[in-house]
Amino acid sequence: MTSAIYYSKDAFRINKNKALGRQVAGNDFLEAYCKYTNYSNFWVYARTRDEANDFAKFSIDNGIKRNIRFINFENTLALKEPGLLFFPGPDVAELSRHRSFFASNAWSICGVTHTTSSKRIMKSIESIVTSPLESWDALICTSKSVKSNITTIIETTENNLRIKLGAKTFVRPQLPVIPLGIDTSKFNYQEKDKINSRAKFGIQSDEIVVLYLGRLSFHAKANPYPMYKALEKTHHDTQKKIVLIECGWYANNEIKEAFIQAAECFCPSIRLLRVDGNDNEVKNCSLAAADIFCSLSDNIQETFGITPIEAMASGLPCVVSDWNGYKDTIRHEIDGFRIQSLMPNEGLGNDLALRYSLGIDSYDMYIGHASNLISIDIDQTTLAFTKLISNKNLRNKMGDNARKRCQNEYDWKTIINKYTDLWKNLHEIRNDSSNKLSNYKSADSIDPFLSFSSYPSKILSEDKIISIKKNNYIDFSEKIKKLKKLYMINYASYVIPDENFLKKLLTDIHHNKKSLHELKKCYQDINYAYFIRAILWLHKFDFIIISD
């Protein structure tokens, strides 16, 4: 038994001017596939001969010479010979419909998740339920959280069919959790690399370097507000010189200016180096020069997160949000620190889903609105930075732990074996099968706070205690005006609560802290979703404390 790769340049070749996570993952997977599988033939399923030739060139460029067997779309039935088709994305339902023209057990189909929050991808996952996918097919989930998200979409669709049609029997593909991998040998930086890289950046020996690596997008990756605030507070608490390297790229100059504006506002004491993350040499220098890695993702489009893995392989302790795939990869207080994340409970984001579904909001605005209501604990972030910045031994210990874990768990040599083991299992199930076919409400419009409810550390509950942070009541009007001037805040004006309402909320808890349940009774005439989201917004931007 072998496998065929559904090949397209867009999925496996990296755009050097605009690197996308899925392309980086696809490129690294294909490199590992060529290097670590022992197939005598490489099967390529592609639309054109040029695509197959590009695969052959990729293989040769990586020092691998195998016989390339090309299957074009017109000869799809030939997929019976390799017995499995690997698709570098989650759109496996459509492929099963193509297969149904022949036989549902003619070959197995295996896909892999990347971003799952767009309407197109959620529609694709929804259609799994009514597609002829079988138990000998699989959709690899790169994290436990994304598996939960996919399961929510599938369960919603199945329930719609139970209600409408009385359906009782559903067949699902396998949903194994297999993380993305990296070539850890590429990140084995030595002390001389650190010294040389710091010299290139003009970093002094008494400066502590914190690295953010990846696309710089406050609405689609990570809002830097908690990182900036925590670093500024850490600097004042420790009196240490801190350098923040933002190694990445911006979609446009407007976003770049928003980051510059926010950094000047929230971390004026931190020396910032903004470098091009699309330049591999610059990226390597950034990883080698760093002392600490930070990524406080707060976005539903993130599913796994490859940059923390690269940081771990580089021997860096990681300060990350306790969010989606980061929950699986970073062990709290072992490889670094996972910072609590908080989102509203289900039912409070249906309007966001509706606006996106109706086309009122673009995809970018949809995920931006949702992100604006997901909070990362700034005090915990400050404490994590303080511990690491103040203690070189702790940095070294956690960095060593991270490197060892990455080498053992996330090197492609290990991950590819998990892929091939899965494929062997699918082959065995399919061989024992008989010909059969499995047999549609729109699950691409689920409330994001339901669909992604497994991502945060906790869901805000009514027994939580709400109290005001010191001096925030006195300076509230000035602080809120300051925030609203920032594009990375005011772009999401739809979800920003009314200033007078926020002032009234703070007045009610100014002298006496209250439970959320007690506070809710004071606002029975206010829409419940609006009320809860106002609480989360105040917490996200550091006006209040939410405690047990």
Side-chain angles (χ1 to χ4, degrees):
M1 178 248 166
T2 183
S3 57
I5 301 294
Y6 188 118
Y7 188 83
S8 70
K9 292 181 182 179
D10 179 67
F12 294 106
R13 292 293 197 174
I14 299 171
N15 183 337
K16 293 182 179 180
N17 296 318
K18 187 182 178 182
L20 298 175
R22 62 178 177 81
Q23 292 175 332
V24 173
N27 184 276
D28 288 354
F29 163 82
L30 198 59
E31 184 177 320
Y33 178 87
C34 293
K35 185 176 181 181
Y36 295 121
T37 57
N38 57 5
Y39 303 138
S40 57
N41 296 318
F42 283 154
W43 292 84
V44 183
Y45 181 62
R47 183 178 296 276
T48 66
R49 171 66 69 176
D50 285 345
E51 298 269 300
N53 290 340
D54 190 69
F55 175 92
K57 183 178 184 304
F58 184 98
S59 175
I60 293 169
D61 288 347
N62 282 278
I64 308 295
K65 293 184 179 180
R66 305 272 177 89
N67 184 35
I68 306 297
R69 303 285 297 273
F70 170 50
I71 302 173
N72 66 18
F73 288 3
E74 292 183 1
N75 193 30
T76 295
L77 183 58
L79 288 169
K80 288 181 67 175
E81 190 169 350
L84 181 139
L85 176 63
F86 175 73
F87 183 74
D91 309 82
V92 291
E94 187 66 18
L95 294 175
S96 73
R97 296 187 184 97
H98 297 165
R99 182 182 62 186
S100 69
F101 281 89
F102 310 105
S104 66
N105 64 350
W107 58 85
S108 292
I109 297 168
C110 180
V112 63
T113 61
H114 295 297
T115 295
T116 59
S117 53
S118 73
K119 189 186 301 184
R120 184 184 71 81
I121 295 300
M122 286 192 277
K123 273 286 188 186
S124 170
I125 296 166
E126 176 193 36
S127 68
I128 284 174
V129 177
T130 55
S131 74
L133 283 164
E134 300 286 355
S135 59
W136 49 84
D137 301 315
L139 177 57
I140 294 172
C141 305
T142 54
S143 69
K144 294 174 184 175
S145 289
V146 80
K147 178 176 180 177
S148 177
N149 165 231
I150 286 171
T151 302
T152 296
I153 296 172
I154 290 174
E155 288 177 347
T156 297
T157 309
E158 289 175 348
N159 195 49
N160 288 334
L161 294 175
R162 286 190 189 96
I163 294 169
K164 188 174 181 64
L165 302 175
K168 296 179 180 180
T169 303
F170 301 96
V171 177
R172 296 182 186 179
Q174 307 290 323
L175 296 174
V177 176
I178 303 178
L180 297 176
I182 62 169
D183 182 347
T184 58
S185 66
K186 293 180 179 180
F187 301 89
N188 189 24
Y189 306 112
Q190 305 300 312
E191 184 62 25
K192 64 177 182 180
D193 299 313
K194 190 178 193 72
I195 292 169
N196 292 337
S197 295
R198 290 171 75 96
K200 285 182 181 179
F201 288 135
I203 296 167
Q204 304 303 311
S205 59
D206 62 343
E207 291 181 308
I208 303 295
V209 178
V210 176
L211 170 66
Y212 174 87
L213 176 64
R215 181 153 56 102
L216 291 153
S217 174
F218 52 81
H219 75 282
K221 278 293 182 181
N223 192 310
Y225 179 84
M227 179 174 67
Y228 289 169
K229 286 278 288 186
L231 284 174
E232 184 70 14
K233 181 70 163 55
T234 302
H235 164 74
H236 288 294
D237 290 348
T238 64
Q239 291 301 300
K240 297 285 188 179
K241 296 179 181 177
I242 301 172
V243 176
L244 173 61
I245 298 179
E246 290 184 328
C247 180
W249 56 96
Y250 309 93
N252 53 54
N253 286 330
E254 189 177 28
I255 290 176
K256 181 178 180 178
E257 286 303 314
F259 271 83
I260 294 171
Q261 181 189 33
E264 290 173 349
C265 182
F266 297 124
C267 57
S269 305
I270 306 302
R271 187 158 77 91
L272 249 83
L273 298 177
R274 298 180 177 90
V275 298
D276 183 8
N278 285 320
D279 186 319
N280 206 46
E281 183 179 346
V282 171
K283 174 184 172 179
N284 286 328
C285 283
S286 299
L287 284 163
D291 298 297
I292 300 164
F293 173 81
C294 180
S295 179
L296 302 177
S297 177
D298 57 1
N299 207 279
I300 60 176
Q301 72 82 39
E302 186 69 83
T303 54
F304 177 73
I306 200 70
T307 56
I309 301 297
E310 294 176 334
M312 292 171 73
S314 304
L316 298 178
C318 299
V319 178
V320 300
S321 48
D322 189 40
W323 182 256
N324 60 57
Y326 295 4
K327 291 180 174 184
D328 300 344
T329 54
I330 310 299
R331 297 170 298 179
H332 184 58
E333 297 184 331
I334 298 176
D335 310 309
F337 298 93
R338 293 204 314 266
I339 309 303
Q340 180 176 285
S341 57
L342 203 61
M343 69 153 52
N345 52 294
E346 64 179 85
L348 305 183
N350 282 317
D351 57 325
L352 304 187
L354 177 62
R355 289 171 64 89
Y356 178 41
S357 181
L358 292 173
I360 298 170
D361 291 336
S362 66
Y363 173 64
D364 282 317
M365 191 58 76
Y366 165 63
I367 61 176
H369 279 154
S371 169
N372 220 248
L373 298 168
I374 295 162
S375 178
I376 308 299
D377 194 294
I378 293 171
D379 292 338
Q380 286 185 15
T381 309
T382 303
L383 181 60
F385 279 142
T386 299
K387 287 180 178 180
L388 288 169
I389 284 173
S390 303
N391 191 334
K392 184 177 180 180
N393 290 335
L394 181 63
R395 295 199 300 272
N396 291 339
K397 180 181 178 181
M398 287 185 164
D400 287 343
N401 290 341
R403 178 183 278 118
K404 290 173 184 175
R405 174 168 170 78
C406 192
Q407 291 171 344
N408 291 334
E409 300 291 334
Y410 299 108
D411 191 276
W412 268 120
K413 188 173 184 179
T414 299
I415 302 301
I416 284 293
N417 285 336
K418 293 182 178 182
Y419 272 70
T420 55
D421 286 347
L422 168 66
W423 295 344
K424 288 176 184 176
N425 179 250
L426 297 179
H427 177 71
E428 291 170 0
I429 296 172
R430 184 168 57 85
N431 277 351
D432 292 337
S433 72
S434 58
N435 285 357
K436 56 182 178 180
L437 292 172
S438 54
N439 295 311
Y440 192 145
K441 179 185 167 170
S442 182
D444 65 333
S445 301
I446 299 175
D447 173 358
F449 305 135
L450 163 62
S451 188
F452 303 97
S453 60
S454 67
Y455 282 31
S457 312
K458 296 179 181 179
I459 299 296
L460 183 61
S461 57
E462 291 192 5
D463 61 343
K464 298 297 183 184
I465 305 300
I466 314 299
S467 56
I468 195 167
K469 275 205 166 182
K470 188 177 180 181
N471 297 327
N472 272 341
Y473 181 75
I474 298 171
D475 302 328
F476 172 78
S477 295
E478 187 61 31
K479 288 180 179 178
I480 198 74
K481 286 182 174 63
K482 193 175 183 180
L483 282 173
K484 286 186 173 182
K485 288 180 181 178
L486 299 172
Y487 175 61
M488 72 166 54
I489 309 296
N490 63 40
Y491 82 97
S493 58
Y494 171 73
V495 297
I496 296 177
D498 175 72
E499 183 175 339
N500 292 327
F501 177 66
L502 293 177
K503 182 77 172 178
K504 188 174 187 306
L505 264 177
L506 292 179
T507 301
D508 285 337
I509 60 172
H510 176 43
H511 295 296
N512 295 301
K513 56 187 178 183
K514 289 184 173 67
S515 72
L516 188 58
H517 180 72
E518 292 171 325
L519 201 56
K520 184 185 74 170
K521 290 181 179 178
C522 304
Y523 295 93
Q524 292 183 355
D525 58 332
I526 299 296
N527 178 278
Y528 182 66
Y530 186 88
F531 167 73
I532 295 295
R533 283 157 49 163
I535 296 291
L536 259 298
W537 193 91
L538 287 170
H539 188 256
K540 182 179 181 76
F541 294 106
D542 208 28
F543 287 97
I544 61 172
I545 298 170
I546 299 177
S547 56
D548 294 324

